[in-house]
Amino acid sequence: MTRVAITGLGIVSPAGLDAAGTWQTLLQGTSTARRDEHLAGLPVDISCQVPDFDARRLVGPSAWRLDRFTAMGLLAAREALADARLDPRTWEPLRVGVVIGSGTASMERYDREFAKLADNRPLDISPLAIPRSVPNMSAAEIGLDTGARGPNLTVSTACASGATAIGIARDLLRAGTCDIVLAGGAESVRHPIPAACFHRMGALSQRTDDPARASRPFDSARDGFVLSEGAAVLVLERPDHARARGLWPRAYLAGYAATCDAHHYAAPHPQGQGAAEALTAALADAALEPADIGHVNAHGTATRLNDLAEARALTTVFTAPPPVTSLKGAIGHAIGAAGAIEAAVTVLTLQHGLIPPTANHEDTALDIDLDIVAKAPRTTRATAAVSTSYGFGGQNAALVLTTC
């Protein structure tokens, strides 16, 4: 088995509470960034926020114990299962796995619990502070909700976490460990600590007076990303298992590879060496040539160093890089969930033959030699595309997605 079937997907993002809503908003090519009351008083107080996210209404009775990132992951998983026409009551639970990526886990509750400790009130600290916030809770709650009793894993490779999780899920299917794996990412970094840290690192856009135009991937005027949140889950199956259910896959995950720059704790390799190596290995894994790829859904953070390094990686691998888009102009950077959201949207691109535009992209930087899709959606006949993700610590992940 060299590829696995993608039979369902679910998305929760600043562009919409489900995959259909997210897709339609992304096609408009406009930003969802705005001022964030949770970040009030900070030097950078803007973010991209999931609209109307009422966990109690959307998730149900278990919402009381869920931090925001966990609730989003659970909602995306439910949509993905419905899309794949899977009924947990009929599957073999030990053959169903869950792999979810998270870059930062959750800080939603910790500040109030730390305040109790600082006030010498340790007995007032909630016993649920850890179970609500540790990184594995999104995967664990999906297991609890669905009864999936196979491998239940959380992956943390910084901003590549969601893509890495999908790749590891593919490996579980290839190894014969599972018949079905729910894989993706979940994250919410709308909290003062990550906002202040990323600002101090110089990673955030400073355009707080014009949030909707702040994130500008690959643009000459780019100055950083906008914090975001969301989740995406793909249902991956062994192709024979999907056929036995009479289901035609949305797409296939044909190739995956991950590398490490081993260069710097935060900055990418200046020539995009590790990123290029991941792309090359993923294409080889899929038994495809660079010329077979018709679209790149890029990491495209809108930071000076990352966009340039990524562009250099793409021009290293592709003689003439195919049309490139970055979703972060529209929905910001969801850190550990970003790669999963981008992979899901790449599946939709292949299905609909439309590449969403890169919001806010007006003038490609002179040192970036890429064909950036901007202003409006672009039609495509691509039958193969790549989705790339990169993160702190030199983490690189590349997914090759195909229609057959």
Side-chain angles (χ1 to χ4, degrees):
M1 179 177 60
T2 59
R3 60 179 186 169
V4 300
I6 300 170
T7 55
L9 59 85
I11 305 174
V12 176
S13 81
L17 287 171
D18 56 20
T22 294
W23 176 248
Q24 290 303 317
T25 300
L26 289 173
L27 292 179
Q28 296 172 18
T30 56
S31 172
T32 59
R34 58 189 173 91
R35 295 211 180 265
D36 189 336
E37 63 180 9
H38 293 290
L39 307 180
L42 296 178
V44 175
D45 60 354
I46 61 175
S47 73
C48 293
Q49 306 156 38
V50 173
D52 304 318
F53 190 79
D54 181 343
R56 290 186 179 274
R57 175 176 60 86
L58 295 168
V59 174
S62 64
W64 69 272
R65 70 170 185 265
L66 307 181
D67 270 17
R68 193 172 176 90
F69 85 110
T70 302
M72 289 179 180
L74 183 53
L75 191 64
R78 287 177 179 175
E79 182 187 8
L81 284 176
D83 185 45
R85 302 208 303 267
L86 277 169
D87 184 349
R89 293 171 297 182
T90 64
W91 67 27
E92 173 51 54
L94 290 174
R95 300 287 299 170
V96 182
V98 180
V99 187
I100 301 295
S102 178
T104 66
S106 176
M107 299 184 184
E108 185 177 338
R109 305 288 166 182
Y110 278 155
D111 52 357
R112 68 188 70 173
E113 303 304 329
F114 287 157
K116 296 173 186 175
L117 192 62
D119 197 32
N120 198 29
R121 295 186 292 123
L123 295 181
D124 289 340
I125 291 175
S126 171
L128 294 179
I130 290 178
R132 291 179 67 146
S133 58
V134 289
N136 74 303
M137 288 315 297
S138 188
E141 288 287 352
I142 291 171
L144 283 168
D145 194 63
T146 64
R149 291 166 47 208
N152 191 289
L153 311 175
T154 294
V155 176
S156 187
T157 52
C159 303
S161 298
T164 307
I166 293 169
I168 289 174
R170 187 284 308 264
D171 291 345
L172 289 173
L173 293 166
R174 276 190 174 181
T177 304
C178 297
D179 297 324
I180 302 166
V181 184
L182 310 182
E187 196 93 86
S188 181
V189 287
R190 291 175 48 226
H191 187 278
I193 290 293
C197 287
F198 281 124
H199 168 67
R200 290 283 289 146
M201 295 182 74
L204 298 184
S205 172
Q206 305 297 302
R207 293 188 180 91
T208 57
D209 59 336
D210 191 7
R213 291 170 55 81
S215 179
R216 302 183 183 190
F218 301 110
D219 195 86
S220 59
R222 69 191 187 279
D223 74 330
F225 62 79
V226 174
L227 288 172
S228 183
E229 62 181 353
V233 173
L234 304 181
V235 175
L236 305 182
E237 288 188 64
R238 290 189 297 103
D240 60 328
H241 190 273
R243 284 194 298 270
R245 297 199 299 117
L247 201 67
W248 189 261
R250 279 183 173 267
Y252 293 90
L253 176 56
Y256 160 70
T259 64
C260 179
D261 286 351
H263 167 72
H264 190 271
Y265 64 88
H269 188 283
Q271 301 302 318
Q273 179 181 333
E277 290 167 344
L279 272 168
T280 299
L283 288 170
D285 186 44
L288 294 176
E289 298 296 327
D292 296 321
I293 301 301
H295 167 54
V296 175
N297 193 309
H299 190 57
T301 60
T303 59
R304 287 280 169 185
L305 294 181
N306 180 271
D307 283 9
L308 180 57
E310 184 168 11
R312 287 172 174 169
L314 291 173
T315 54
T316 296
V317 176
F318 299 98
T319 303
V324 174
T325 195
S326 169
L327 305 184
K328 293 182 178 70
I331 59 174
H333 193 350
I335 313 299
I341 294 171
E342 290 153 10
V345 172
T346 305
V347 171
L348 296 175
T349 290
L350 292 172
Q351 280 197 298
H352 296 290
L354 281 174
I355 302 173
T358 304
N360 293 327
H361 186 85
E362 298 177 359
D363 178 36
T364 304
L366 292 176
D367 51 2
I368 290 178
D369 187 18
L370 298 177
D371 176 14
I372 306 297
V373 178
K375 309 296 185 183
R378 186 183 300 183
T379 58
T380 179
R381 294 182 178 178
T383 57
V386 296
S387 181
T388 55
S389 298
Y390 312 114
F392 285 169
Q395 306 287 349
N396 308 297
L399 302 170
V400 179
L401 302 155
T402 63
T403 57
C404 60

